[in-house]
Amino acid sequence: MTIFSQRLKNYRGKLKSQDSKWTQQYVANKIGVARVTYTAYENGTKMPPVDTVNSIAELFNIKTDYLLGRTDNPEPSNEDYSYNTLKQINELLKKFNIDQSGLFDIEKWKTMGPEEIKQLESYFEFIVQEAKKKNKQKD
């Protein structure tokens, strides 16, 4: 068993002890692979491609370097957290076709947590729905 497979299995086990939804099937669905493929990752018989390692790390909210054995600290640093937060916000801006200029202070965005990002997504959905309503009223 590789360090990657050991850490993957152990970390999923830790999450599962806190919430029973963290089965191999659940993780496999979330990262877009078959359960047998994910099982092979945990058993060390198959190594996932880089993009899948990134998906796993994002899902578990841990560092890829931890999974790969380059650090013993699974927790993302503030810098890692800021990058991931900005990435998620940029994805929302693209999803809702919103021009980010003038919306918010980018430094404030870096400190947003997952719950605040969900609230931001709800706000963007509201903005888009209101704009559609106004456009229909004009017609």
Side-chain angles (χ1 to χ4, degrees), residues 23-89:
T23 63
Q24 287 183 338
Q25 184 67 58
Y26 175 79
V27 174
N29 290 345
K30 288 289 192 179
I31 64 171
V33 299
R35 188 200 52 78
V36 293
T37 302
Y38 179 79
T39 300
Y41 299 159
E42 281 195 5
N43 290 336
T45 57
K46 188 172 186 176
M47 187 65 183
V50 174
D51 60 330
T52 303
V53 173
N54 287 333
S55 295
I56 293 167
E58 285 181 21
L59 178 64
F60 288 178
N61 194 27
I62 59 175
K63 292 181 180 182
T64 55
D65 282 351
Y66 172 75
L67 286 172
L68 298 171
R70 296 181 60 180
T71 182
D72 290 330
N73 180 7
E75 301 299 319
S77 67
N78 286 341
E79 186 176 302
D80 295 334
Y81 185 72
S82 294
Y83 172 78
N84 191 39
T85 299
L86 290 175
K87 180 180 166 192
Q88 289 176 328
I89 291 169

Side-chain angles (χ1 to χ4, degrees), residues 83-134:
Y83 172 78
N84 191 39
T85 299
L86 290 175
K87 180 180 166 192
Q88 289 176 328
I89 291 169
N90 281 328
E91 288 171 1
L92 287 176
L93 291 170
K94 287 178 188 174
K95 176 181 174 181
F96 292 103
N97 196 25
I98 296 174
D99 180 10
Q100 76 182 42
S101 61
L103 276 180
F104 301 101
D105 178 8
I106 197 78
E107 292 302 316
K108 166 73 172 126
W109 285 13
K110 288 182 180 180
T111 61
M112 292 176 80
E115 188 58 38
E116 291 169 306
I117 290 173
K118 286 180 187 174
Q119 290 173 353
L120 184 62
E121 182 174 17
S122 295
Y123 177 66
F124 286 169
E125 286 174 357
F126 173 77
I127 290 171
V128 169
Q129 288 173 355
E130 289 299 307
K132 287 179 182 177
K133 286 180 188 176
K134 286 182 182 179

